[in-house]
Amino acid sequence: MASAVEIDAMRRALLLARRGPRGLNPQVGAVILSPAGDVLAEGFHRGAGTPHAEVDALSQLASGEARGSTAVVTLEPCNHTGRTGPCALALIEAGVARVVYALDDPTDAAAGGADRLRAAGVDVENGVEADAAAALVHDWVTLQRTGRPHVTVKWAQSLDGRAAAADGSSQWITGPDARRDVHARRAQADAIVAGTGTVRSDDPALTARSDDGSLLEHQPVPVIVGASETAPDAAVRRHPHAPLFYATHDLRAVLADLAGRGVQRVFVEGGPTVASAFLREGLADEVLVYVAPVLIGGSRLALGDIGVASIADARRLVVASIQNLGDDLVIVAHPADDRSAPAPLGADAAPDTRGDA
């Protein structure tokens, strides 16, 4: 059983892990404790090709200084050679006596580090702060399991399920609190997806902004999908990140390319056509719906055809949370066959009430 000192060290390792970039590799943190429980070194993974968290921490110690120590790591030490060597072997060679980790590595290539450590006589404890570690790397795990990023499909609607009025106007169905929440969630994504139709009609900036209109620190990469051309003076072309344009309707190909670029979390915010396409293809891991207590009527539905011909084909969801945002509601749900979805991300920023959502 992990000691209180080791649990505290794991919580510190989880904070360290968040310093690393999201990408093709998981965010991992490590803390090395002396036999007396003092912190000897800390480390985290700084990106593909760089030392893993355990080796990063060990590199700060003199030869022999780690002997008899405890390594506290957020993910099972790897057991394979890629751009770097096996972390399990590095810990063994450093003389680490005990390893405490949170999650088993889900990849076939890297798993087995715990068994290698035990075979070498190292005491191993796993499952410490596992829920927090799972939430941290959930999107990366989705990438390993499915070969594509985690996809959140978002839309805003009236109480009767409309996305716009008869004249096409939709700003604003929801109030400022809901729009603030949208911007905070954009800032937590790696990429934001819209269709060429939405870009042409609404000219969205696809940025994450604060209440005063300034850009939040993290910005998702804008992704535009569709065969139509985007105007040279479109707002999205002034985004801090160069937009990615995909002249295709093959969403799986788009997601595969984004995965190859290290994108882990995709936020789909492109209007009814794009939202319906992701749902129809079964590519939505999470649905985010903002509901305003207004009635609009008419034919401009928030969703179009999603491939449901009869009630037996209806896409069943599990509601993860329902939250009041001013006068509006935000509902977070995920497919009924995927109960591994993480807790919904909260709005921890104060974005611009003039958002594109």
Side-chain angles (χ1 to χ4, degrees):
M1 181 177 295
S3 67
V5 171
E6 291 170 340
I7 293 172
D8 286 343
M10 182 66 76
R11 291 170 181 166
R12 172 60 182 167
L14 287 165
L15 291 174
L16 290 167
R18 294 183 182 278
R19 295 184 183 178
R22 290 164 56 88
L24 295 174
N25 298 97
Q27 292 172 295
V28 182
V31 175
I32 308 295
L33 299 175
S34 73
D38 298 319
V39 175
L40 295 176
E42 300 178 337
F44 62 94
H45 185 46
R46 301 165 194 269
T50 66
H52 290 187
E54 304 94 314
V55 176
D56 184 42
L58 289 172
S59 69
Q60 301 167 34
L61 301 177
S63 177
E65 194 176 356
R67 190 159 303 280
S69 66
T70 295
V72 179
V73 193
T74 58
L75 188 67
E76 178 186 9
C78 71
N79 191 39
H80 82 300
T81 299
R83 296 188 189 182
T84 58
C87 292
L89 179 59
L91 293 168
I92 293 167
E93 292 179 341
V96 171
R98 176 171 163 82
V99 171
V100 178
Y101 71 92
L103 286 180
D104 292 331
D105 195 303
T107 60
D108 292 337
D115 290 340
R116 185 171 189 171
L117 288 163
R118 291 189 180 99
V122 177
D123 184 33
V124 178
E125 177 87 19
N126 71 312
V128 177
E129 296 293 298
D131 289 345
L136 174 66
V137 298
H138 179 272
D139 300 337
W140 177 78
V141 171
T142 297
L143 191 63
Q144 306 310 305
R145 178 170 54 85
T146 66
R148 62 167 177 79
H150 180 278
V151 176
T152 295
V153 176
K154 169 264 176 186
W155 68 86
Q157 67 173 56
S158 63
L159 196 59
D160 55 346
R162 269 58 183 178
D167 65 355
S169 60
S170 60
Q171 296 179 337
W172 299 106
I173 290 176
T174 55
D177 289 342
R179 297 196 293 273
R180 180 177 295 115
D181 187 77
V182 169
H183 278 272
R185 293 175 190 267
R186 285 182 184 180
Q188 294 165 332
D190 301 321
I192 181 168
V193 175
T196 52
T198 294
V199 172
R200 185 172 58 253
S201 62
D202 295 347
D203 195 26
L206 299 182
T207 52
R209 301 189 299 276
S210 60
D211 280 337
D212 63 7
S214 61
L215 297 179
L216 297 179
E217 181 177 1
H218 178 75
Q219 294 293 321
V221 174
V223 176
I224 312 304
V225 179
S228 301
E229 290 291 328
T230 299
D233 61 347
V236 71
R237 293 189 183 274
R238 299 188 293 275
H239 195 283
H241 296 296
L244 299 175
F245 295 97
Y246 295 91
T248 179
H249 297 291
D250 186 343
L251 298 179
R252 294 183 187 277
V254 171
L255 291 176
D257 187 72
L258 291 176
R261 296 171 182 267
V263 170
Q264 292 184 16
R265 177 175 284 270
V266 168
F267 195 69
V268 177
E269 196 176 352
T273 299
V274 170
S276 300
F278 272 90
L279 289 166
R280 188 168 57 249
E281 294 294 323
L283 297 173
D285 301 294
E286 182 178 73
V287 170
L288 182 66
V289 185
Y290 295 86
V291 182
V294 298
L295 301 175
I296 297 176
S299 60
R300 294 182 178 269
L301 296 173
L303 287 180
D305 176 21
I306 60 170
V308 175
S310 69
I311 195 65
D313 301 324
R315 306 297 177 91
R316 301 292 177 180
L317 304 175
V318 173
V319 175
S321 68
I322 301 176
Q323 180 183 357
N324 288 94
L325 294 172
D327 293 332
D328 306 314
L329 295 176
V330 58
I331 302 170
V332 181
H334 56 83
D337 59 354
D338 180 13
R339 296 180 180 272
S340 65
L345 297 173
D348 54 7
D352 184 355
T353 59
R354 298 169 297 162
D356 305 314

